[in-house]
Amino acid sequence: MREKRTPKGIFFKKYFVVYIVAFLVTLASYYPKIRYFNYSIDTERMIRFPGYTLDWWLRLGRYGLVFLSKIPFFGEGVHIRYINMLTYLLLFISVLLLTYVFDRGTKRTRTEQLLAIGLYITTPIVLEQTNFVLQSAPVIFSTAIMFIGYGLLKEFLTNKEYVFLTSGLILIMLSFTVYVSLVLGFVALTIVDLCYHAREEKWEIKKYFNRVLFFAGMCIISYGGYLIGNIVCLKVFNLESSEYLLESKLWGSVPNTQVFATIKSSISYNFRFDSPFALWGAFVLLIVFIAISIWNKENLVISVVTVIGIVSIGLYTVPLLGYFGTLRSYFPVYPILLYGLSMLIFRSEKSKLVAVFSYLFIMVIVVVQAFNTFRFGMNEQKIYQQEVALVKEIEIKLKENKIDDYSKYKLAIIGGKTFEEITHGDMLGNTVFAWDLTSDVGTSYRAGDFIYNHGLHFKRITPKDYNRVIENVNTMTSFPDDESLKIDGDVLIIRLS
């Protein structure tokens, strides 16, 4: 059975009010990030050493991100307010594309579409990713072009014109070059989209698996093209690939019993009811989907494949790393799964009571997510203000000690400092003054770069000099005491704790 097509004009006319409300929800949820100037871990290094950051991205295989970061439209890395406005505008646009690709037959009501969009837009996982302002706009942009590419592949299946196939493959490959996790986003979209249309259009098992194989093949081809491009880039720039992600895996580095214990604790921690990320909502939606599928006697094979796919992609870091984390790497997987699961539930529910329950439950998740995303944004501003205040306090203390020619000294920061906060996430809620405490220079690089960007132009210390001076800090007290500053040769030592 062929999907009944709806002209684009009619589609957007039907959902016009939905998109207006969705835009307002986006604006409200991310208002603190749009309104205030602040940035997260890594951005301080991009501001001071842009070349280092770009080389790091190349080593991570993110050569598309490097290219986009050099385009003025994307803010060239450090125009914070502009980048934030662009990022969340692109987020809204990406949702328009997702809804059209997923439901261009306009089968869902305005209420259902709005609730599904709300789940996608408001999840704090989006902020976990986009709080990295130096990459946020390119990542959301690449998500949008992945959606377009997926839609073009669907168009090819309808009319068999190879221009759609070629264009789709190119766009999907390009999206992978910006953010490799979009491979998983593509898989997540395929899982929920194929199940939705299999039920909507009453597909036979053969047709369903033909579509599965088609999209799997397109993903492999696109990823292969990305890998070839990555090999070429590494050769051209004479760089070695980084195994950054795999370096954090637990398998093989600790006993398996400890790995399994970590898996259990990390999953229970992230899916607990009081988590600000409300991942428990995705779990409940999956249970509701399973229950409705059984109640409606939906095709068992398609339902089982879909559930296995959702669980696998929703916990992909567990078999890869041996624990559930980092949350930012689950963008756009979880937003897509939240949207797709809600659309599957709306499509399958036949009881008014179940429909009302679904609407109310999803509305609760949307409100919780939006509130927590807003709070996280305010929290980032609160921490940033305290970080800037600490730099000002350090500057005053230096002047009291008649130290004003900062460029004469290398900066060694001993210990760290945390700040009062509203809430705490994964990367959200962290400060440069307490990050990398166990590195070979402590927080001296992160905090030192932040201090440098605020006008105190100290040199970077070497690990060798840091190890030398750290042996002579036992008599020092914590900042802002008078004995918290010390000069050792050409090294200025600040002891924070």
Side-chain angles (χ1 to χ4, degrees), residues 237-407:
F237 292 99
N238 195 28
L239 295 171
E240 291 187 9
S241 177
S242 171
E243 299 295 333
Y244 170 72
L245 182 62
L246 295 179
E247 286 173 359
S248 61
K249 70 176 182 179
L250 296 182
W251 300 109
S253 58
V254 298
N256 286 344
T257 53
Q258 186 176 335
V259 176
F260 291 126
T262 302
I263 291 172
K264 180 181 178 181
S265 62
S266 64
I267 290 177
S268 62
Y269 175 81
N270 283 285
F271 284 85
R272 71 191 194 280
F273 185 73
D274 61 345
S275 167
F277 294 94
L279 294 182
W280 51 267
F283 176 75
V284 175
L285 287 176
L286 179 61
I287 298 301
V288 172
F289 165 72
I290 294 171
I292 291 177
S293 298
I294 295 172
W295 181 264
N296 292 342
K297 298 179 180 179
E298 301 283 1
N299 187 292
L300 179 62
V301 174
I302 295 175
S303 298
V304 169
V305 170
T306 301
V307 171
I308 291 174
I310 289 173
V311 172
S312 299
I313 204 72
L315 299 173
Y316 82 93
T317 54
V318 171
L320 181 65
L321 303 177
Y323 59 92
F324 185 91
T326 54
L327 287 178
R328 65 187 181 278
S329 68
Y330 279 99
F331 177 86
V333 169
Y334 264 88
I336 290 172
L337 291 181
L338 287 168
Y339 177 87
L341 276 170
S342 61
M343 294 290 274
L344 283 167
I345 290 169
F346 295 148
R347 190 261 159 229
S348 301
E349 62 195 12
K350 295 179 180 178
S351 163
K352 286 188 177 180
L353 182 62
V354 173
V356 171
F357 167 78
S358 301
Y359 291 171
L360 291 176
F361 178 71
I362 290 174
M363 189 177 297
V364 167
I365 301 176
V366 171
V367 171
V368 169
Q369 287 187 160
F371 175 71
N372 287 339
T373 296
F374 181 89
R375 278 210 312 164
F376 272 126
M378 293 302 299
N379 192 58
E380 291 302 298
Q381 172 62 8
K382 184 182 181 70
I383 291 174
Y384 182 80
Q385 288 176 328
Q386 293 174 91
E387 289 173 329
V388 173
L390 177 59
V391 175
K392 293 295 183 185
E393 197 174 354
I394 290 173
E395 185 177 13
I396 292 170
K397 200 72 176 178
L398 291 171
K399 287 181 179 178
E400 290 176 357
N401 286 269
K402 302 189 185 322
I403 301 172
D404 51 16
D405 188 0
Y406 311 126
S407 61

Side-chain angles (χ1 to χ4, degrees), residues 5 7 16 61 88 94 157 193 219 239 252 258 293 303 319 326 389 448-449:
R5 305 294 296 279
F16 180 75
Y88 301 114
S94 72
L157 289 172
D193 182 64
C219 185
L239 295 171
Q258 186 176 335
S293 298
S303 298
T326 54
D449 292 345

Side-chain angles (χ1 to χ4, degrees), residues 152-153 155-167:
L152 290 172
L153 294 182
E155 192 70 23
F156 168 75
L157 289 172
T158 301
N159 57 35
K160 303 302 180 183
E161 291 186 20
Y162 283 91
V163 64
F164 293 115
L165 177 66
T166 305
S167 301

Side-chain angles (χ1 to χ4, degrees), residues 187-206:
V187 174
L189 179 56
T190 301
I191 292 167
V192 291
D193 182 64
L194 291 187
C195 181
Y196 179 86
H197 288 285
R199 292 185 175 184
E200 188 65 43
E201 301 166 34
K202 306 291 189 290
W203 289 354
E204 303 259 344
I205 289 291
K206 181 179 179 181

Side-chain angles (χ1 to χ4, degrees), residues 89 110-111 139 176 287 414 425 429:
L89 176 61
R110 292 177 179 88
T111 299
V139 166
F176 294 170
I287 298 301
I414 310 300

